[in-house]
Amino acid sequence: DTEVTQTPKHLVMGMTNKKSLKCEQHMGHRAMYWYKQKAKKPPELMFVYSYEKLSINESVPSRFSPECPNSSLLNLHLHALQPEDSALYLCASSRPPGGPYNEQFFGPGTRLTVL
Amino acid sequence: SQQGEEDPQALSIQEGENATMNCSYKTSINNLQWYRQNSGRGLVHLILIRSNEREKHSGRLRVTLDTSKKSSSLLITASRAADTASYFCATDVEGGSEKLVFGKGTKLTVNP
């Protein structure tokens, strides 16, 4: 299985809602990533988990809360978001970090709209 | 922060023509990668070139890397309408960080 899956595909939420994005991979990868991508822009790294531990937080606001329950799953909990947080949220995974071949495998993304 | 800068920002060609995209970066790297993204979808890894390599081929793709100029190019030969997508270069940080920094991307349109 060489696929990264993300659910839901689309999410519309109000500013007072709490929701979660989910990501799953079964490639045995030990690094997992959350990216945010605005229209016509490149992906921007938000978080990296390495061996289920948070290794990089790119100064993301606390209304985004990542969680890595096990080596196959990655969640992004959302609370009190702002309309400017509307974007495509991409999950990715890669082989054990620190090696020279850190090709990343991406999921299809969750299109988030905050009203 | 963005490390890579692609040019052109947009490229429109006819089917069968070759497409060349360029990427420049700022810091020393272990490797440079190219990804493709169809509209509103996830990114797909195309090719990785290591810092000690100068050229790499994969099917209709040819990538070059010039570390002295901190630049790379992606050539797609005999383009097809299905190649229409955005193309991003991505660089890691020398030292083995798992972090990738993506360039701004080139939007390629291949007209039938």
Side-chain angles (χ1 to χ4, degrees):
Chain A
D1 186 355
T2 58
E3 194 180 39
V4 177
T5 58
Q6 288 187 245
T7 55
K9 285 187 169 52
H10 300 276
L11 178 63
V12 179
M13 61 185 290
M15 289 190 283
T16 59
N17 291 158
K18 284 186 182 180
K19 297 286 185 184
S20 296
L21 309 184
K22 296 185 184 304
C23 174
E24 190 166 2
Q25 58 88 15
H26 295 287
M27 294 178 278
H29 290 169
R30 301 309 296 273
M32 296 186 77
Y33 311 77
W34 280 115
Y35 289 88
K36 173 182 177 180
Q37 186 179 27
K38 302 284 270 185
K40 299 184 180 180
K41 298 288 187 184
E44 292 184 3
L45 183 66
M46 299 174 72
F47 303 104
V48 181
Y49 272 84
S50 174
Y51 293 99
E52 294 94 72
K53 287 185 169 43
L54 184 64
S55 61
I56 295 178
N57 176 343
E58 291 286 285
S59 302
V60 178
S62 60
R63 56 185 185 270
F64 295 92
S65 175
E67 179 196 18
C68 190
N70 60 55
S71 60
S72 300
L73 293 174
L74 186 66
N75 298 321
L76 186 63
H77 302 298
L78 314 172
H79 174 54
L81 294 193
Q82 304 296 310
E84 59 264 29
D85 296 322
S86 298
L88 182 67
Y89 287 84
L90 294 163
C91 173
S93 68
S94 69
R95 280 180 278 186
Y101 307 114
N102 53 344
E103 166 193 351
Q104 294 186 15
F105 292 78
F106 283 79
T110 293
R111 174 73 60 190
L112 174 67
T113 303
V114 182
L115 301 176
Chain B
S1 62
Q2 317 275 294
Q3 154 128 281
E5 295 274 342
E6 280 99 331
D7 77 87
Q9 290 189 359
L11 179 61
S12 182
I13 60 175
Q14 297 298 122
E15 257 190 332
E17 294 180 341
N18 295 342
T20 300
M21 289 159 267
N22 303 298
C23 167
S24 60
Y25 57 93
K26 296 174 185 170
T27 64
S28 296
I29 61 172
N30 288 313
N31 62 64
L32 184 144
Q33 305 177 45
W34 285 90
Y35 288 81
R36 184 187 77 223
Q37 184 177 34
N38 290 86
S39 181
R41 304 297 304 274
L43 282 75
V44 175
H45 181 265
L46 295 176
I47 196 164
L48 179 153
I49 185 165
R50 287 179 266 178
S51 59
N52 62 354
E53 297 176 311
R54 291 297 165 257
E55 188 172 312
K56 203 160 182 182
H57 297 254
S58 176
R60 293 183 296 113
L61 305 180
R62 173 177 168 256
V63 169
T64 61
L65 180 64
D66 186 335
T67 52
S68 67
K69 295 181 180 178
K70 291 187 168 60
S71 67
S72 172
S73 68
L74 171 67
L75 168 67
I76 303 174
T77 60
S79 63
R80 306 166 182 167
D83 295 328
T84 294
S86 292
Y87 292 81
F88 296 94
C89 68
T91 52
D92 67 348
V93 176
E94 193 177 31
S97 168
E98 58 267 0
K99 178 176 175 177
L100 284 184
V101 179
F102 287 83
K104 293 180 179 178
T106 293
K107 175 78 174 84
L108 173 66
T109 302
V110 181
N111 301 300

mmCIF file of all heavy atoms in Angstrom, chain B residues 42-70:
data_model
loop_
_atom_site.group_PDB
_atom_site.id
_atom_site.type_symbol
_atom_site.label_atom_id
_atom_site.label_comp_id
_atom_site.label_asym_id
_atom_site.label_seq_id
_atom_site.Cartn_x
_atom_site.Cartn_y
_atom_site.Cartn_z
ATOM 1 N N GLY B 42 -3.227 16.498 -4.127
ATOM 2 C CA GLY B 42 -1.953 16.321 -3.443
ATOM 3 C C GLY B 42 -0.778 16.349 -4.397
ATOM 4 O O GLY B 42 -0.951 16.279 -5.606
ATOM 5 N N LEU B 43 0.407 16.472 -3.838
ATOM 6 C CA LEU B 43 1.612 16.505 -4.659
ATOM 7 C C LEU B 43 2.092 15.094 -4.937
ATOM 8 O O LEU B 43 1.962 14.197 -4.106
ATOM 9 C CB LEU B 43 2.724 17.284 -3.945
ATOM 10 C CG LEU B 43 2.621 18.793 -3.991
ATOM 11 C CD1 LEU B 43 1.549 19.315 -3.060
ATOM 12 C CD2 LEU B 43 3.962 19.432 -3.656
ATOM 13 N N VAL B 44 2.687 14.929 -6.107
ATOM 14 C CA VAL B 44 3.247 13.649 -6.505
ATOM 15 C C VAL B 44 4.742 13.824 -6.725
ATOM 16 O O VAL B 44 5.163 14.728 -7.465
ATOM 17 C CB VAL B 44 2.576 13.124 -7.788
ATOM 18 C CG1 VAL B 44 3.264 11.846 -8.273
ATOM 19 C CG2 VAL B 44 1.092 12.869 -7.551
ATOM 20 N N HIS B 45 5.527 12.983 -6.079
ATOM 21 C CA HIS B 45 6.977 13.057 -6.235
ATOM 22 C C HIS B 45 7.377 12.603 -7.633
ATOM 23 O O HIS B 45 6.915 11.569 -8.113
ATOM 24 C CB HIS B 45 7.646 12.160 -5.185
ATOM 25 C CG HIS B 45 9.129 12.193 -5.242
ATOM 26 N ND1 HIS B 45 9.875 11.274 -5.931
ATOM 27 C CD2 HIS B 45 10.020 13.050 -4.688
ATOM 28 C CE1 HIS B 45 11.145 11.560 -5.809
ATOM 29 N NE2 HIS B 45 11.277 12.615 -5.056
ATOM 30 N N LEU B 46 8.232 13.395 -8.292
ATOM 31 C CA LEU B 46 8.677 13.050 -9.641
ATOM 32 C C LEU B 46 10.084 12.479 -9.640
ATOM 33 O O LEU B 46 10.341 11.426 -10.222
ATOM 34 C CB LEU B 46 8.646 14.294 -10.540
ATOM 35 C CG LEU B 46 7.262 14.896 -10.822
ATOM 36 C CD1 LEU B 46 7.408 16.168 -11.643
ATOM 37 C CD2 LEU B 46 6.365 13.894 -11.524
ATOM 38 N N ILE B 47 11.005 13.197 -9.024
ATOM 39 C CA ILE B 47 12.404 12.802 -9.129
ATOM 40 C C ILE B 47 13.200 13.486 -8.031
ATOM 41 O O ILE B 47 12.869 14.604 -7.601
ATOM 42 C CB ILE B 47 12.943 13.154 -10.536
ATOM 43 C CG1 ILE B 47 14.250 12.444 -10.844
ATOM 44 C CG2 ILE B 47 13.033 14.657 -10.737
ATOM 45 C CD1 ILE B 47 14.604 12.453 -12.329
ATOM 46 N N LEU B 48 14.221 12.811 -7.548
ATOM 47 C CA LEU B 48 15.131 13.350 -6.543
ATOM 48 C C LEU B 48 16.536 13.308 -7.113
ATOM 49 O O LEU B 48 16.944 12.287 -7.680
ATOM 50 C CB LEU B 48 15.039 12.522 -5.259
ATOM 51 C CG LEU B 48 15.923 12.894 -4.067
ATOM 52 C CD1 LEU B 48 15.253 12.454 -2.761
ATOM 53 C CD2 LEU B 48 17.312 12.261 -4.148
ATOM 54 N N ILE B 49 17.274 14.387 -6.958
ATOM 55 C CA ILE B 49 18.667 14.417 -7.397
ATOM 56 C C ILE B 49 19.519 14.806 -6.203
ATOM 57 O O ILE B 49 19.202 15.754 -5.473
ATOM 58 C CB ILE B 49 18.850 15.370 -8.611
ATOM 59 C CG1 ILE B 49 20.290 15.291 -9.137
ATOM 60 C CG2 ILE B 49 18.442 16.807 -8.285
ATOM 61 C CD1 ILE B 49 20.458 15.910 -10.519
ATOM 62 N N ARG B 50 20.558 14.027 -5.978
ATOM 63 C CA ARG B 50 21.420 14.283 -4.835
ATOM 64 C C ARG B 50 22.421 15.386 -5.144
ATOM 65 O O ARG B 50 22.730 15.669 -6.305
ATOM 66 C CB ARG B 50 22.158 13.003 -4.444
ATOM 67 C CG ARG B 50 21.272 11.980 -3.782
ATOM 68 C CD ARG B 50 22.057 10.733 -3.445
ATOM 69 N NE ARG B 50 21.943 9.743 -4.489
ATOM 70 C CZ ARG B 50 22.565 8.565 -4.481
ATOM 71 N NH1 ARG B 50 23.369 8.269 -3.488
ATOM 72 N NH2 ARG B 50 22.399 7.710 -5.445
ATOM 73 N N SER B 51 22.971 15.978 -4.112
ATOM 74 C CA SER B 51 23.854 17.125 -4.302
ATOM 75 C C SER B 51 25.134 16.759 -5.045
ATOM 76 O O SER B 51 25.781 17.626 -5.634
ATOM 77 C CB SER B 51 24.206 17.757 -2.948
ATOM 78 O OG SER B 51 24.839 16.812 -2.121
ATOM 79 N N ASN B 52 25.501 15.466 -5.057
ATOM 80 C CA ASN B 52 26.716 15.063 -5.781
ATOM 81 C C ASN B 52 26.410 14.553 -7.192
ATOM 82 O O ASN B 52 27.281 14.039 -7.878
ATOM 83 C CB ASN B 52 27.493 14.000 -4.999
ATOM 84 C CG ASN B 52 26.700 12.722 -4.801
ATOM 85 O OD1 ASN B 52 25.522 12.652 -5.145
ATOM 86 N ND2 ASN B 52 27.336 11.718 -4.241
ATOM 87 N N GLU B 53 25.150 14.695 -7.613
ATOM 88 C CA GLU B 53 24.764 14.318 -8.967
ATOM 89 C C GLU B 53 24.562 15.563 -9.804
ATOM 90 O O GLU B 53 24.165 16.613 -9.295
ATOM 91 C CB GLU B 53 23.478 13.481 -8.957
ATOM 92 C CG GLU B 53 23.629 12.153 -8.219
ATOM 93 C CD GLU B 53 22.316 11.386 -8.127
ATOM 94 O OE1 GLU B 53 21.295 11.987 -7.736
ATOM 95 O OE2 GLU B 53 22.338 10.179 -8.435
ATOM 96 N N ARG B 54 24.785 15.435 -11.106
ATOM 97 C CA ARG B 54 24.644 16.592 -11.989
ATOM 98 C C ARG B 54 23.441 16.471 -12.901
ATOM 99 O O ARG B 54 22.863 17.465 -13.347
ATOM 100 C CB ARG B 54 25.915 16.773 -12.829
ATOM 101 C CG ARG B 54 27.105 17.206 -12.015
ATOM 102 C CD ARG B 54 26.880 18.571 -11.386
ATOM 103 N NE ARG B 54 27.839 18.852 -10.327
ATOM 104 C CZ ARG B 54 27.542 18.765 -9.028
ATOM 105 N NH1 ARG B 54 26.333 18.415 -8.641
ATOM 106 N NH2 ARG B 54 28.459 19.034 -8.119
ATOM 107 N N GLU B 55 23.059 15.222 -13.201
ATOM 108 C CA GLU B 55 21.947 15.013 -14.114
ATOM 109 C C GLU B 55 21.275 13.695 -13.768
ATOM 110 O O GLU B 55 21.932 12.745 -13.350
ATOM 111 C CB GLU B 55 22.470 14.980 -15.554
ATOM 112 C CG GLU B 55 21.397 14.959 -16.618
ATOM 113 C CD GLU B 55 21.971 15.133 -18.013
ATOM 114 O OE1 GLU B 55 22.792 16.060 -18.199
ATOM 115 O OE2 GLU B 55 21.601 14.355 -18.913
ATOM 116 N N LYS B 56 19.950 13.677 -13.965
ATOM 117 C CA LYS B 56 19.210 12.451 -13.705
ATOM 118 C C LYS B 56 18.036 12.374 -14.667
ATOM 119 O O LYS B 56 17.434 13.400 -15.009
ATOM 120 C CB LYS B 56 18.717 12.422 -12.262
ATOM 121 C CG LYS B 56 18.428 11.045 -11.724
ATOM 122 C CD LYS B 56 18.424 11.068 -10.215
ATOM 123 C CE LYS B 56 18.171 9.671 -9.688
ATOM 124 N NZ LYS B 56 18.103 9.646 -8.221
ATOM 125 N N HIS B 57 17.724 11.141 -15.103
ATOM 126 C CA HIS B 57 16.627 10.947 -16.043
ATOM 127 C C HIS B 57 15.599 10.004 -15.428
ATOM 128 O O HIS B 57 15.942 9.078 -14.682
ATOM 129 C CB HIS B 57 17.143 10.318 -17.342
ATOM 130 C CG HIS B 57 18.107 11.177 -18.081
ATOM 131 N ND1 HIS B 57 17.776 11.855 -19.230
ATOM 132 C CD2 HIS B 57 19.403 11.482 -17.836
ATOM 133 C CE1 HIS B 57 18.830 12.520 -19.665
ATOM 134 N NE2 HIS B 57 19.829 12.314 -18.843
ATOM 135 N N SER B 58 14.338 10.233 -15.786
ATOM 136 C CA SER B 58 13.277 9.308 -15.416
ATOM 137 C C SER B 58 12.196 9.433 -16.470
ATOM 138 O O SER B 58 11.441 10.399 -16.495
ATOM 139 C CB SER B 58 12.715 9.644 -14.038
ATOM 140 O OG SER B 58 11.622 8.784 -13.723
ATOM 141 N N GLY B 59 12.141 8.447 -17.370
ATOM 142 C CA GLY B 59 11.163 8.519 -18.455
ATOM 143 C C GLY B 59 11.371 9.760 -19.300
ATOM 144 O O GLY B 59 12.457 9.993 -19.839
ATOM 145 N N ARG B 60 10.333 10.586 -19.405
ATOM 146 C CA ARG B 60 10.420 11.827 -20.204
ATOM 147 C C ARG B 60 10.969 13.005 -19.392
ATOM 148 O O ARG B 60 11.001 14.133 -19.876
ATOM 149 C CB ARG B 60 9.028 12.186 -20.743
ATOM 150 C CG ARG B 60 8.485 11.202 -21.773
ATOM 151 C CD ARG B 60 7.135 11.647 -22.341
ATOM 152 N NE ARG B 60 6.092 11.694 -21.335
ATOM 153 C CZ ARG B 60 5.505 12.809 -20.905
ATOM 154 N NH1 ARG B 60 5.854 13.987 -21.403
ATOM 155 N NH2 ARG B 60 4.544 12.759 -19.993
ATOM 156 N N LEU B 61 11.396 12.744 -18.174
ATOM 157 C CA LEU B 61 11.913 13.806 -17.308
ATOM 158 C C LEU B 61 13.431 13.795 -17.290
ATOM 159 O O LEU B 61 14.048 12.731 -17.228
ATOM 160 C CB LEU B 61 11.399 13.632 -15.880
ATOM 161 C CG LEU B 61 9.898 13.533 -15.661
ATOM 162 C CD1 LEU B 61 9.606 13.368 -14.176
ATOM 163 C CD2 LEU B 61 9.191 14.741 -16.222
ATOM 164 N N ARG B 62 13.995 14.998 -17.344
ATOM 165 C CA ARG B 62 15.437 15.150 -17.173
ATOM 166 C C ARG B 62 15.663 16.288 -16.198
ATOM 167 O O ARG B 62 15.155 17.395 -16.391
ATOM 168 C CB ARG B 62 16.113 15.448 -18.510
ATOM 169 C CG ARG B 62 17.599 15.779 -18.401
ATOM 170 C CD ARG B 62 18.198 15.990 -19.789
ATOM 171 N NE ARG B 62 19.533 16.580 -19.698
ATOM 172 C CZ ARG B 62 19.822 17.862 -19.957
ATOM 173 N NH1 ARG B 62 18.865 18.685 -20.325
ATOM 174 N NH2 ARG B 62 21.056 18.309 -19.850
ATOM 175 N N VAL B 63 16.416 16.009 -15.156
ATOM 176 C CA VAL B 63 16.714 17.021 -14.144
ATOM 177 C C VAL B 63 18.210 17.262 -14.119
ATOM 178 O O VAL B 63 18.995 16.321 -14.194
ATOM 179 C CB VAL B 63 16.236 16.559 -12.752
ATOM 180 C CG1 VAL B 63 16.777 17.485 -11.668
ATOM 181 C CG2 VAL B 63 14.721 16.545 -12.697
ATOM 182 N N THR B 64 18.586 18.521 -14.030
ATOM 183 C CA THR B 64 19.986 18.867 -13.843
ATOM 184 C C THR B 64 20.135 19.644 -12.550
ATOM 185 O O THR B 64 19.179 20.280 -12.072
ATOM 186 C CB THR B 64 20.522 19.713 -15.010
ATOM 187 O OG1 THR B 64 19.779 20.934 -15.076
ATOM 188 C CG2 THR B 64 20.397 18.973 -16.334
ATOM 189 N N LEU B 65 21.311 19.588 -11.986
ATOM 190 C CA LEU B 65 21.600 20.293 -10.747
ATOM 191 C C LEU B 65 22.979 20.927 -10.859
ATOM 192 O O LEU B 65 23.951 20.247 -11.208
ATOM 193 C CB LEU B 65 21.562 19.339 -9.556
ATOM 194 C CG LEU B 65 21.856 19.937 -8.189
ATOM 195 C CD1 LEU B 65 20.801 20.963 -7.792
ATOM 196 C CD2 LEU B 65 21.958 18.838 -7.129
ATOM 197 N N ASP B 66 23.050 22.209 -10.589
ATOM 198 C CA ASP B 66 24.322 22.928 -10.562
ATOM 199 C C ASP B 66 24.473 23.533 -9.166
ATOM 200 O O ASP B 66 23.908 24.589 -8.872
ATOM 201 C CB ASP B 66 24.336 24.011 -11.637
ATOM 202 C CG ASP B 66 25.688 24.706 -11.773
ATOM 203 O OD1 ASP B 66 26.454 24.721 -10.775
ATOM 204 O OD2 ASP B 66 25.979 25.240 -12.848
ATOM 205 N N THR B 67 25.215 22.854 -8.303
ATOM 206 C CA THR B 67 25.328 23.320 -6.917
ATOM 207 C C THR B 67 26.164 24.594 -6.817
ATOM 208 O O THR B 67 25.995 25.357 -5.872
ATOM 209 C CB THR B 67 25.933 22.223 -6.016
ATOM 210 O OG1 THR B 67 27.143 21.753 -6.608
ATOM 211 C CG2 THR B 67 24.961 21.070 -5.853
ATOM 212 N N SER B 68 27.034 24.836 -7.798
ATOM 213 C CA SER B 68 27.834 26.069 -7.752
ATOM 214 C C SER B 68 26.950 27.285 -7.998
ATOM 215 O O SER B 68 27.199 28.366 -7.461
ATOM 216 C CB SER B 68 28.958 26.013 -8.780
ATOM 217 O OG SER B 68 28.441 26.024 -10.104
ATOM 218 N N LYS B 69 25.910 27.108 -8.803
ATOM 219 C CA LYS B 69 24.976 28.196 -9.073
ATOM 220 C C LYS B 69 23.712 28.082 -8.232
ATOM 221 O O LYS B 69 22.816 28.927 -8.325
ATOM 222 C CB LYS B 69 24.583 28.202 -10.557
ATOM 223 C CG LYS B 69 25.728 28.516 -11.502
ATOM 224 C CD LYS B 69 25.260 28.520 -12.945
ATOM 225 C CE LYS B 69 26.428 28.849 -13.875
ATOM 226 N NZ LYS B 69 26.027 28.805 -15.301
ATOM 227 N N LYS B 70 23.635 27.019 -7.426
ATOM 228 C CA LYS B 70 22.436 26.762 -6.613
ATOM 229 C C LYS B 70 21.190 26.819 -7.489
ATOM 230 O O LYS B 70 20.240 27.595 -7.236
ATOM 231 C CB LYS B 70 22.338 27.752 -5.456
ATOM 232 C CG LYS B 70 23.409 27.547 -4.382
ATOM 233 C CD LYS B 70 23.177 28.425 -3.162
ATOM 234 C CE LYS B 70 24.051 28.019 -2.000
ATOM 235 N NZ LYS B 70 25.483 28.099 -2.270
#
